[in-house]
Amino acid sequence: MSDVEFLSRYGPWALIAGGSEGLGAAFAHRLAKLGLNLVLVARKPAPLEAVAAEGRSQYGREVRTLALDLTAPDAVAKIISATEGCEVGLLIYNAGADNSFKPFLERPVADSEHMAALNVLAPLRLVRLFADPMVKRKRGGIITLSSMASMAGYPGNLVYAASKAFSNIFTEGLWYELGKHNIHVLGMIIGLARTPAMERLGVKFDGAVPAADPYDLVDEALANI
C-alpha cells in the first residue's frame, strides 16, 4: 500500500492512547511519516510533549497532546474535546502496562481495579467513541496491543494477564463485526520487546531470546492491518 493509499484509508488523524514511549512513540513516528496528524494521549506530559515535538519538527504534522489517566471518569469527555474538528481514522490502544511483578493478594485492590479499567473499560469506551463515525464513513482502522502474558494465568501479573486476554477476544470480535463495514482491525500480541515499560519491570534483554525493536513491530502491524 502506498503512503497516499494509507493516508486515504486511515487518515487524516490517528489517536494513540499510550503514545509517549515504546511502541506508542514508534507508532507516532511511523504514522507521522506516512502523513497522518496525531492526537497523543498518555499520563506523563513531558515525554508526551517530546514525542509531539518530534512529529511536528521532523514530519511537519499537526500533533495534539492530552495528558490524561484513561480510567478517569471524565476521560472520554476530555478526549472528545481534544479531538474536536479531527476526523480520527485510526485508533491505536497501547496503554495498560504493569510496572511490577507482585502477587495478587499483595497488591492494593485499587491498583488491580485500575489495571482492569485501563485494559478493559478504557479501550471499550474509546472503540465505542471512534468506531461509530468510522462505520458511517465506511473506512478506518483499529489496532490494540496485548501481551504474551494474556495467553495463560501469569503469576505476579494476574490482573494484567487476564485483562489483556479480554483485549484479544474483544479485538477478534471487532475484526468480524466492523470488518463488514470496511473497518480494519488488528490485535498485536507482543512478546519480549525493548521498551521502557519492560525496563521498569526489570526485564533483562541479554537472554537467549532477542528482544524485538518497537519500530520493527510497528512496521509489521502497519503492513498487516
Side-chain angles (χ1 to χ4, degrees):
M1 187 189 307
S2 70
D3 292 2
V4 172
E5 290 171 327
F6 190 95
L7 178 60
S8 176
R9 181 171 293 180
Y10 302 116
W13 287 83
L15 184 140
I16 306 174
S20 63
E21 64 179 30
L23 274 86
F27 267 113
H29 277 268
R30 290 295 194 249
L31 294 174
K33 187 176 181 180
L34 285 166
L36 278 74
N37 299 313
L38 306 172
V39 180
L40 305 178
V41 183
R43 285 186 302 168
K44 299 176 182 178
L48 194 64
E49 291 299 335
V51 176
E54 292 168 350
R56 297 179 188 118
S57 64
Q58 293 182 27
Y59 308 106
R61 305 299 168 224
E62 185 176 350
V63 184
R64 301 184 185 185
T65 61
L66 178 62
L68 175 71
D69 181 344
L70 288 160
T71 69
D74 60 348
V76 170
K78 288 185 175 180
I79 289 171
I80 290 173
S81 178
T83 57
E84 185 177 1
C86 302
E87 185 179 300
V88 176
L90 184 62
L91 169 64
I92 297 171
Y93 197 85
N94 177 53
D98 196 353
N99 291 325
S100 65
F101 289 105
K102 189 179 292 185
F104 174 70
L105 291 181
E106 294 180 13
R107 294 176 185 262
V109 68
D111 290 356
S112 295
E113 290 176 351
H114 183 270
M115 179 62 65
L118 190 58
N119 283 330
V120 177
L121 296 179
L124 183 155
R125 290 166 177 161
L126 290 190
V127 168
R128 191 64 182 84
L129 176 64
F130 292 109
D132 189 57
M134 289 181 190
V135 167
K136 289 181 171 65
R137 294 191 296 266
K138 296 292 183 182
R139 63 180 183 85
I142 297 169
I143 298 175
T144 64
L145 278 77
S146 181
S147 165
M148 287 295 293
S150 68
M151 308 308 289
Y154 198 81
N157 287 94
L158 297 186
V159 177
Y160 172 78
S163 58
K164 285 300 186 181
F166 168 86
S167 177
N168 299 344
I169 301 302
F170 181 54
T171 304
E172 287 181 346
L174 290 173
W175 172 84
Y176 180 81
E177 292 187 359
L178 299 182
K180 298 176 180 179
H181 303 282
N182 198 38
I183 310 305
H184 301 165
V185 181
L186 176 71
M188 299 178 67
I189 300 178
I190 305 299
L192 183 63
R194 195 175 293 275
T195 66
M198 288 196 176
E199 290 175 359
R200 287 192 292 270
L201 275 174
V203 173
K204 305 300 182 184
F205 298 121
D206 54 359
V209 178
D213 182 271
Y215 285 91
D216 292 339
L217 295 172
V218 167
D219 290 341
E220 184 177 359
L222 298 180
N224 285 280
I225 186 174

